[in-house]
Amino acid sequence: MGKQLLDVAIIGGGPAGLNAALMLGRARKNVAVIDEGHPRNAVTRETHGFLTRDGISPGEFRRIAKEEISAYPAVSFVADTAVSITGSDGHFQIMTEQGKTFESRKVLFAIGMKDRPLDIPGLAEVYGKSAFVCPYCDGWELSDQPLVIINKGAELMHFAPLISGWTNRFAICTNGPDELTDAQREELKRHQVPLFDSPIQSIDSSEGIVRQVVLEDGTTIPCRGIFFKPVLVAGSELPRTIGCRITEAGSVVVDEFGKTNVPGVYSAGDAASRLYQAIAAASMGAFVAAAINNELNMEAWRRNG
């Protein structure tokens, strides 16, 4: 593409970035989607809760999306990693890991979030196969099965009633101090939910299917699935490095239109939300794309008036 001035550079090619590209392509905007090709949900076999695509694999979802977007020739895909952004609203310069340079009027961060590895032996072997983070995405497949919930504190007291809608056969491992009040422990006891605070020694599994959780005190908890609280980090540090405000949880702060505090820079999807569902990210990508398109059209209108 050389030094052609893009209308929008989209950093990230997940559901938010792809749906934004679709909307902007249909709006006749020149767009490049710069994506490194390592999505967070690559470990999962199926994507759920997305109307007309329930159960599709993440890879197939992206293949179909790119095929549909290819009908709009103003959108291109760049298999690369954006490493630096300079410039300002109306003329940003994006440099990639492979040394390519793109110039763009606007930037949309759809960088998602990434999992920070948890120090639990055996968890990596089952993650995405029988260990998950979201019951809305994967709870149906584990309905009425014996599960282990790895969580603690206030978030645990939100998650326990939530997971009970799929199964009442679950135990809780806090993997250390439970960070609960006496009243909260009593609440779990009333609901006959076993609570274990011994650190986890290992997770035993076979071909990705968990068999039991082994604690350091020798306790073994047989189960067929796990839900755990992930530790998330931003998919890229670029928003922070160019001055975007970031929440304590690592999300980009945006207004109702997806605008960051940096003029000309937007964010959508998991990078700017805590919903962490594919359909929510795609929806946000479409909405923010419309906001960007409106801003571009208004700027062109004023220039030509």
Side-chain angles (χ1 to χ4, degrees), residues 124-288:
E125 286 77 6
V126 295
Y127 184 22
K129 302 178 181 69
S130 59
F132 308 99
V133 299
C134 172
Y136 290 106
C137 301
D138 299 288
W140 171 266
E141 286 68 29
L142 293 173
S143 294
D144 298 320
Q145 296 297 310
L147 307 180
V148 164
I149 310 304
I150 304 175
N151 206 326
K152 64 176 63 178
E155 289 196 25
L156 166 60
M157 298 311 296
H158 165 76
F159 198 87
L162 176 64
I163 200 67
S164 69
W166 284 271
T167 183
N168 59 9
R169 302 168 63 193
F170 65 93
I172 293 168
C173 293
T174 59
N175 196 28
D178 59 35
E179 300 177 7
L180 299 173
T181 66
D182 290 341
Q184 289 169 333
R185 294 187 194 96
E186 184 59 32
E187 180 180 341
L188 293 173
K189 186 176 181 180
R190 288 198 308 271
H191 287 276
Q192 300 180 334
V193 177
L195 177 66
F196 302 92
D197 62 6
S198 175
I200 297 171
Q201 178 177 297
S202 64
I203 295 172
D204 292 343
S205 64
S206 176
E207 297 182 349
I209 305 302
V210 62
R211 296 189 299 187
Q212 64 180 4
V213 175
V214 181
L215 306 184
E216 288 187 359
D217 66 4
T219 302
T220 58
I221 310 169
C223 61
R224 293 293 293 171
I226 291 171
F227 281 97
F228 68 96
K229 176 187 174 183
V231 178
L232 300 177
V233 295
S236 169
E237 285 297 306
L238 280 180
R240 189 188 302 273
T241 61
I242 68 169
C244 293
R245 291 176 54 215
I246 308 294
T247 69
E248 191 172 320
S251 300
V252 181
V253 176
V254 296
D255 68 8
E256 65 270 29
F257 300 106
K259 287 185 177 182
T260 72
N261 60 296
V262 178
V265 177
Y266 291 73
S267 188
D270 289 0
S273 169
R274 297 190 69 182
L275 294 177
Y276 302 150
Q277 288 187 304
I279 196 165
S283 174
M284 191 175 178
F287 181 81
V288 174

Side-chain angles (χ1 to χ4, degrees), residues 72-119:
Y72 306 99
V75 180
S76 62
F77 294 93
V78 182
D80 205 343
T81 303
V83 294
S84 71
I85 298 179
T86 56
S88 59
D89 188 14
H91 206 131
F92 292 99
Q93 295 84 41
I94 300 98
M95 177 70 75
T96 73
E97 192 173 68
Q98 296 176 17
K100 299 174 184 176
T101 301
F102 297 87
E103 299 181 353
S104 183
R105 301 182 192 276
K106 309 292 178 184
V107 172
L108 170 57
F109 285 116
I111 54 176
M113 303 291 280
K114 293 186 182 297
D115 292 294
R116 180 178 293 164
L118 297 182
D119 190 21

